[in-house]
Amino acid sequence: MTEWVRPAGSSARDGFEVAVRPGEPEWHHSGLLVRTLLPGQSVEIDTGDCEYIVLPLSGSAEVIVDGEAVPLGGRADVFAGPTDLAYVPRNSTFAVVSAGGARIAFPHAKAAADHPFRRIGADEVETELRGAGVASRQVRNFGTPGVLDADSIIACEVITPAGNWSSYPPHKHDEHKPGKESELEEIYYFELQLSDDVPEGVKGNDPIGYQRVYGTDERPIDVLAEVRSGDVVLVPHGWHGPAMAPPGYDMYYLNVMAGPGTERQWLITDDPQHAWVRELWNSQHIDPRLPFGEAEPFGGEQS
């Protein structure tokens, strides 16, 4: 384990299985909490100087703000499809309760301006297919500019089918270059599952994936992590990618980004040694296994 790799449970505190917050050493802008709620349980959060997203990973829930209960339809799991979510501004107190039990992610980021509370339905989440061939992946842009009105947070979900690479070619966003690159630190939160073609006899296997982060000569960083469900990798700076899903294991990751810039932008620079990979996509097809999931209501008990 390095300071940038947090295996499942290693960052647990205050009742959260994952707790990464702005203000940790060398970590300034973005955060992520993950909490499992048993049936009937609730959690209350004071946002302070951060804006929050309430994102069900599995199950359904209600967000209670100013005495009003707002339902989030949820989903069976992160591979099943998009979910309803909610945005909660800074300087607020809110609660989340689940009648049937749920696992909830709370991406958050330092904010300098107020934006109104908002519920976003699963049908409003924009799904994008990126890359081609073995670099095909699916992106759910639920918390990106143009979908979510926010001050600083940028967030999305990525699904990479078994055997594919994503976050590829390697890229970075750690410098302010107007119109070219934005300065953002980034969180990767992983979940993995056995792919549909895995024989029944190996259903007990523990799926794994891999994540690479490497730096520049001026700002070195070196991460090559084997990741499992619940693991977190932090990217304070440097080139990151690929995120690799070995054969037999589908990979999901939740990205949370924020930075010091006054403009909420997600602009990247490809590693020039690998940028040519994009040219291959012109003669390749999107992986036919994509997209995963459908935007249908979750069939579990509603809160």
Side-chain angles (χ1 to χ4, degrees):
M1 172 180 165
T2 72
E3 59 188 324
W4 308 123
V5 180
R6 311 284 178 89
S10 65
S11 65
R13 61 181 184 271
D14 302 327
F16 295 95
E17 295 104 86
V18 173
V20 177
R21 294 184 173 94
E24 295 185 10
E26 299 185 71
W27 199 254
H28 309 290
H29 306 286
S30 60
L32 177 65
L33 306 175
V34 176
R35 178 74 169 254
T36 297
L37 297 176
L38 297 177
Q41 277 191 327
S42 65
V43 60
E44 185 175 277
I45 293 177
D46 183 351
T47 64
D49 61 357
C50 291
E51 56 188 358
Y52 272 71
I53 295 173
V54 183
L55 181 76
L57 299 173
S58 63
S60 59
E62 288 183 340
V63 181
I64 302 171
V65 179
D66 296 330
E68 179 182 359
V70 178
L72 302 181
R75 52 189 167 180
D77 58 55
V78 295
F79 295 95
T83 180
D84 301 338
L85 59 131
Y87 169 86
V88 185
R90 62 178 187 162
N91 300 320
S92 303
T93 299
F94 70 96
V96 176
V97 61
S98 176
R103 191 169 73 261
I104 311 291
F106 300 93
H108 56 281
K110 291 278 191 179
D114 295 322
H115 293 257
F117 173 87
R118 181 185 170 193
R119 177 189 182 276
I120 296 177
D123 59 345
E124 300 178 70
V125 175
E126 295 184 357
T127 296
E128 173 188 0
L129 301 184
R130 290 187 191 162
V134 296
S136 301
R137 61 272 200 182
Q138 173 182 349
V139 183
R140 298 184 188 130
N141 290 308
F142 68 85
T144 52
V147 177
L148 176 68
D149 180 26
D151 180 66
S152 63
I153 193 168
I154 299 173
C156 66
E157 299 179 307
V158 180
I159 291 180
T160 310
N164 286 11
W165 291 25
S166 61
S167 287
Y168 198 71
H171 57 279
K172 72 180 183 73
H173 39 70
D174 59 10
E175 295 181 89
H176 176 61
K177 297 179 179 179
K180 296 181 179 180
E181 183 178 340
S182 48
E183 185 179 353
L184 301 166
E185 60 187 18
E186 184 166 11
I187 299 170
Y188 280 69
Y189 165 81
F190 292 91
E191 295 197 8
L192 296 106
Q193 70 172 11
L194 297 178
S195 59
D196 288 341
D197 58 356
V198 173
E200 287 293 331
V202 295
K203 289 299 184 185
N205 280 20
D206 185 16
I208 59 171
Y210 295 88
Q211 172 70 22
R212 179 78 171 115
V213 183
Y214 58 99
T216 61
D217 291 339
E218 295 79 15
R219 302 180 74 187
I221 184 173
D222 188 8
V223 173
L224 178 56
E226 183 175 284
V227 294
R228 291 176 166 80
S229 290
D231 289 358
V232 170
V233 174
L234 305 181
V235 183
H237 56 81
W239 311 104
H240 42 289
M244 296 163 273
Y249 306 132
D250 299 320
M251 173 185 283
Y252 160 97
Y253 53 83
L254 168 62
N255 282 146
V256 186
M257 292 170 276
T262 56
E263 287 191 81
R264 183 171 167 250
Q265 293 181 307
W266 184 11
L267 303 176
I268 67 170
T269 299
D270 287 337
D271 184 338
Q273 294 189 72
H274 306 291
W276 61 268
V277 168
R278 293 187 185 272
E279 299 175 11
L280 299 178
W281 302 345
N282 295 325
S283 59
Q284 297 175 339
H285 297 288
I286 294 286
D287 191 313
R289 293 173 291 179
L290 295 174
F292 274 55
E294 299 293 336
E296 296 178 351
F298 172 59
E301 180 183 1
Q302 295 292 317
S303 298

